[in-house]
Amino acid sequence: MRMNKPSIKPAIPIPAHDMWLDQIDKAIQEAEFSISLEKKIYKPLSKGEFKARFEEQDYDPHDGQKPIHATTARFISIGGGRRGGKTKAAANHALAIARTRPYSLIYWVGKTKEIVSRGFNTILEIINMRGIKTLRINNTFYTIELENHSIIRGKSAEEPGQLVGEGVDFIVCDEAAQLDRKIWDKYLRPTLADKKGGALFIGTYTGTNWFWELGEDAKISGLWCDANNPEREWGKGEWEKSWFVHSFPTWANTKVFAGGFQNDEIQAALASAADPADFYEEYGAKAKEPRNLVLPEFHRAIHANNWVHFDKDKPVYLGIDPGTSAPYAVIAIQEFNRCPCLFHLGEDEFPQGTHIHIIDEVYMANTVSEMIIEEVMRRPWFRNVQSGGYGIIDVTDWLGEQRRWMKIAGIRIFRVSKSTKDFVKNSQDVFRKLLRDPARYKYIVELKMMENGFSPLTMTSELYRLEFARIAQALDDRDLAMCSRIHIDSIRCPNVIKEASNWQYGEPSKPYLDPPDKPSRAYDHAMDAIIYFCWQKYGIGGRKPAMSYLDG
């Protein structure tokens, strides 16, 4: 019988004492991180952690950039003027997260590979100039792996399928206005779910598209903060939905544009702009409203509020636009002599005059009047319509509707008085004045002119136009809230808000023709219902209260 020789294992070299301790530390760190991976929770950096990393990255943010790195919110929306420093801020922000949180996965997403390449190269430039250690760099696939195994990947939205499949800690959406909304909703947002990751949206506004709406929706929700309170503390369950909304103009980057707004290049660009609104969108980070909007005065952050509610001690009025296959819209309205606005102004600062609270909507398509009336009767404000209110309805089949409403619900219904030749335009003008009192608006702008050393009475017409446009673009939500008499329940009235935001005049039949005088029939059912009431109550059809706060 043949005996097997015992195997002799080679001796394992024992590392030096310091090396042994380093390996133990590394093993402990990896064990701790494996535990954190099981929890799958992304932890945002503190203000102090950002500061330490920025010193190492030789990044000194200017005043417009600083709030970005101070916020405690999960999602960050930044509108910036061109050459204002958006990309630099986002690159340093993402790199600081990757360096501080080992094994992090960060995406830099753009509509095209050119946009992705710009952000990737900005990060790579910081790494190379500051000697930050990496394990690998792949310029072809836009991948950087740092020494701590954090990975930064550039991803183009040209191939959306590449955006799925991984749990991501942080996403930068570069030039977000150019991305399709579904790229965020369908592909990117789900990748943050398991780790509760964060996201930073940067870009120059391109009208009031979805990028701009992200910030407006956040303001309506109430779970947001801005540069005035970037380190807001969030309650239980609030951080997951929290937003930081901020914008800064090109001239905030005083390192490039010395003198700020008075910089020669900035002033030259303003003087050469055919439309000041174009200048303030590209340089001032102010989204330009589409020219064909029926209600350009409407702003979600101003008119849609989460503090609007039904007052059981006041009557409720109805604006009614009947429909069958098209939506049948019933809008519930209450009147107040004065009303707290968005920013809880002091008692002496409350805007004077009638305020309209749009407290609820019943909005149903492919239905009949009886079903609408039954739904109205189920609402908590129904008795307040019966006891002291009434409804204003379109003239089409109004007698039949009047009988149905009275028979089923005991509610008085009256037809709107279309008593002028141009009823459509005139009734819209009444509603627009309620959205923004023109006299009050002009008063606020001219008051700011005088604060800046200008006299509206002695200025040339061209200087007045430019200065008026500049100040109007810079008005904040508080200023605009002081001009509004319309306040909409942001929770119960989604179709009112949607229609007011999207109601437009139709496109001209040929490029060289003016657009039609009448709005498109889409997005007008709730608007028609509200406008019928406002016209009957405040226009030619009814009594006329003062149409300006300045009229007392």
Side-chain angles (χ1 to χ4, degrees), residues 420-439:
T420 65
K421 182 179 179 180
D422 196 356
F423 165 76
V424 173
K425 182 180 183 304
N426 291 338
S427 60
Q428 289 167 6
D429 285 346
V430 169
F431 186 57
R432 290 176 65 182
K433 288 179 180 179
L434 292 169
L435 287 170
R436 182 186 296 167
D437 175 2

Side-chain angles (χ1 to χ4, degrees), residues 415-469:
R415 69 178 177 88
V416 64
S417 301
K418 296 185 177 181
S419 50
T420 65
K421 182 179 179 180
D422 196 356
F423 165 76
V424 173
K425 182 180 183 304
N426 291 338
S427 60
Q428 289 167 6
D429 285 346
V430 169
F431 186 57
R432 290 176 65 182
K433 288 179 180 179
L434 292 169
L435 287 170
R436 182 186 296 167
D437 175 2
R440 179 73 177 180
Y441 182 68
K442 182 180 179 182
Y443 169 76
I444 290 174
V445 173
E446 290 190 345
L447 189 64
K448 291 182 180 293
M449 279 187 185
M450 290 186 285
E451 291 173 356
N452 293 337
F454 294 97
S455 172
L457 298 177
T458 59
M459 298 166 66
T460 64
S461 59
E462 180 63 17
L463 179 59
Y464 181 90
R465 181 184 72 85
L466 290 174
E467 187 65 12
F468 193 99

Side-chain angles (χ1 to χ4, degrees), residues 314 334-341 347-357 433-434 437 440 481-487 537-538 543-552:
K314 288 184 173 293
Q334 289 189 300
E335 289 182 310
F336 294 80
N337 289 329
R338 56 172 49 188
C339 152
C341 73
E347 181 70 20
D348 294 336
E349 296 181 87
F350 282 153
Q352 302 294 320
T354 302
H355 286 256
I356 296 173
H357 283 202
K433 288 179 180 179
L434 292 169
D437 175 2
R440 179 73 177 180
M482 288 295 295
C483 303
S484 173
R485 294 190 193 183
I486 298 285
H487 311 281
K537 208 76 188 294
Y538 311 117
R543 62 183 177 84
K544 285 187 178 180
M547 288 306 296
S548 167
Y549 298 115
L550 302 182
D551 295 337

Side-chain angles (χ1 to χ4, degrees), residues 4 11 47 55 83 110 119 151 174 245 249 255 304 311 327 384 388 431 449 452 458 503 507 522 526 529 531:
N4 291 329
K47 190 175 179 181
E55 288 177 355
R83 308 307 303 160
I151 295 175
D174 195 356
V245 183
K255 296 176 183 178
D311 187 332
N384 293 59
F431 186 57
M449 279 187 185
N452 293 337
T458 59
W503 200 17
E507 295 295 329
I531 285 175

Side-chain angles (χ1 to χ4, degrees), residues 157-169:
E158 293 170 317
E159 300 178 22
Q162 295 183 355
L163 302 174
V164 300
E166 295 180 295
V168 182
D169 294 273

Side-chain angles (χ1 to χ4, degrees), residues 4-12:
N4 291 329
K5 293 181 179 181
S7 59
I8 300 175
K9 295 182 179 180
I12 301 174

